Amino acid sequence: MDPALERSFRGHKDGVTSVAFNPNMKQLVSGGLDGVVMVWNFKMQMRAFRFLGHTAPVMSVAVSPTGHLVASGSKDRSIRLWVPSVKGESTAIKAHTGPVRSVAFSSDGQQLVTSSDDKSVKVWSIPAQRFKHSLSGHSNWVRDAKFSPDNRLILSSGDDKTVRLWDARTHGCVHTFYDHTAPVGTCQFHPDGTSVASGSADRCIKLWDMRTLQLLQHYPAHTDAVNQIAFHPSGSFLLSASADATIKVWDMCEGRLFYTIHGHESAANGCAFAPRGDFFATASADHQVMVWRTNFDRYLDGADGGSTGIGLGWEEPAPPAAAPAAPPSTRPPPSTRQPQRPRPTTAPQLTSAARSRGAPPLDIPAAAAPPSFPPPPTDAEAEFAAAGFAEDTGG
């Protein structure tokens, strides 16, 4: 089955740059050029939360693995850490000397990695409330940075046209990929950690093997810059969002285009899969956030996909299932792996008319600026002093 539009959200007053699911599947978070962080509640009767605090465009948002904390990075050079509730309490951290381009949590929620136009990648300790260290090596703006699934490595990409692999323990650069011919705006680890992918202004997506450090796949993906990529939790599909206003789904097993989605009216800036892979979200310069039911993950061997018939806004979702991942020693190369189920011979086109199937956009009122951060709660993840982070001299 084709992907189907489930919900659409309007509330940003300018382009939307980033989107992320709360793992509890009750909320979706987005950041925009209007300097606002929006928290969209999937329950129809609950209105969205509008978080004000940044003084410049919000370039990236991320949600912690427990769902108790939201991070945002802005062109105002700060990071903000929010509690995703109606009060919207936050802590501001003056993190970089240039605009912050990306924020991402480690898989255990203990660390945050950020990238910036100051050419650095920085790592922060969540429980210790400390700045840990910087990773220096890029010669131009750093657009994206991510932890590996086991948190032992960090991947970064930037306007110097490189993708760099870092050792999170020694802080050294392990390898640099020079294959792109234009700024690299997005990078991502495969869920099983055996490969990495990147998307660039050269309109291409590239995939490298982590064991051999060789190029595995190259896709002339879009007709304009690739702004964001996201792996399906199974690792079998890759989502890409482009300045050409399309969203594309790539079959990683067979190395080919699977779907092209025409849903947005302007550049698609962000995309993200839900933890179970049964939904994905897209963010665009057309001021909209869209949530899609995946459906195509039913082709996976033994996967439920969207077959449960559950829609967004359920009261108590089932616990997320562990994403299947083949052992590194047995995973065959994409060029030789056989498909598990019959697949379409062409990439179906989903037109903008599909948007009419979604729920009506929400009209979100503006809220007052967030109050000062409350006394430390019992949850260690949200224990941030209002004064911000101190430097960890121990590295």
Side-chain angles (χ1 to χ4, degrees):
M1 293 180 63
D2 294 343
L5 185 65
E6 188 82 7
R7 297 282 297 276
S8 63
F9 298 102
R10 292 179 184 266
H12 285 283
K13 297 178 180 179
D14 206 335
V16 190
T17 58
S18 182
V19 65
F21 283 92
N22 190 317
N24 65 19
M25 285 305 293
K26 295 180 180 180
Q27 295 174 327
L28 185 73
V29 180
S30 62
L33 297 177
D34 55 5
V36 173
V37 174
M38 298 291 299
V39 178
W40 311 95
N41 292 292
F42 288 138
K43 290 181 66 175
M44 290 289 190
Q45 61 269 37
M46 292 187 65
R47 299 181 72 83
F49 307 144
R50 183 193 296 272
F51 292 167
L52 306 177
H54 285 294
T55 59
V58 176
M59 305 308 296
S60 178
V61 294
V63 185
S64 66
T66 62
H68 296 162
L69 198 65
V70 171
S72 59
S74 168
K75 280 192 172 182
D76 65 11
R77 306 180 182 183
S78 76
I79 302 165
R80 279 189 177 264
L81 300 165
W82 311 81
V83 177
S85 63
V86 65
K87 292 183 179 180
E89 298 97 340
S90 72
T91 294
I93 305 167
K94 298 301 180 183
H96 288 270
T97 58
V100 180
R101 293 288 176 176
S102 74
V103 294
F105 285 95
S106 57
S107 62
D108 58 7
Q110 300 298 296
Q111 300 178 87
L112 184 76
V113 62
T114 60
S115 66
S116 168
D117 288 3
D118 64 12
K119 307 178 187 178
S120 75
V121 174
K122 292 189 176 183
V123 179
W124 310 81
S125 170
I126 300 298
Q129 307 176 28
R130 290 183 182 274
F131 161 71
K132 295 186 68 177
H133 56 80
S134 292
L135 304 175
S136 300
H138 282 281
S139 60
N140 208 330
W141 297 354
V142 188
R143 296 281 183 171
D144 200 7
K146 297 289 195 307
F147 280 101
S148 62
D150 61 7
N151 303 318
R152 296 170 61 186
L153 299 169
I154 293 173
L155 189 69
S156 63
S157 63
D159 282 11
D160 58 5
K161 307 176 187 178
T162 68
V163 178
R164 295 175 185 260
L165 194 62
W166 308 84
D167 187 312
R169 183 181 61 85
T170 66
H171 317 157
C173 183
V174 177
H175 189 76
T176 302
F177 301 100
Y178 294 97
D179 301 67
H180 283 290
T181 59
V184 187
T186 177
C187 59
Q188 193 75 248
F189 279 95
H190 188 280
D192 68 8
T194 62
S195 60
V196 296
S198 61
S200 167
D202 63 14
R203 308 175 184 180
C204 297
I205 295 172
K206 295 181 185 291
L207 187 76
W208 291 276
D209 190 307
M210 285 287 291
R211 294 157 291 191
T212 64
L213 301 178
Q214 298 299 307
L215 185 66
L216 280 178
Q217 296 178 3
H218 165 84
Y219 301 96
H222 289 271
T223 59
D224 208 332
V226 182
N227 290 329
Q228 186 71 56
I229 57 173
F231 274 106
H232 187 273
S234 69
S236 295
F237 302 103
L238 181 75
L239 199 63
S240 62
S242 170
D244 65 11
T246 67
I247 304 294
K248 293 191 177 184
V249 182
W250 303 89
D251 184 339
M252 293 287 97
C253 300
E254 299 197 11
R256 65 182 178 90
L257 179 64
F258 203 39
Y259 290 101
T260 296
I261 303 170
H262 299 274
H264 288 288
E265 298 171 357
S266 296
N269 295 324
C271 60
F273 274 107
R276 294 176 60 190
D278 46 354
F279 294 93
F280 63 91
T282 57
S284 171
D286 64 9
H287 305 190
Q288 290 190 85
V289 176
M290 294 183 176
V291 181
W292 307 78
R293 185 182 292 275
T294 302
N295 288 333
F296 55 77
D297 59 358
R298 297 182 186 185
Y299 290 106
L300 295 173
D301 189 24
D304 291 335
S307 59
T308 59
I310 298 176
L312 294 174
W314 59 88
E315 189 66 27
E316 292 295 336
S329 60
T330 60
R331 181 182 176 88
S335 60
T336 61
R337 187 175 174 183
Q338 296 300 313
Q340 298 294 328
R341 299 288 174 89
R343 302 175 185 267
T345 56
T346 59
Q349 305 289 305
L350 302 186
T351 66
S352 57
R355 286 175 298 161
S356 62
R357 298 196 296 269
L362 300 180
D363 181 22
I364 308 302
S372 58
F373 203 67
T378 55
D379 189 338
E381 185 181 39
E383 292 179 355
F384 289 95
F389 278 41
E391 183 170 1
D392 183 358
T393 56

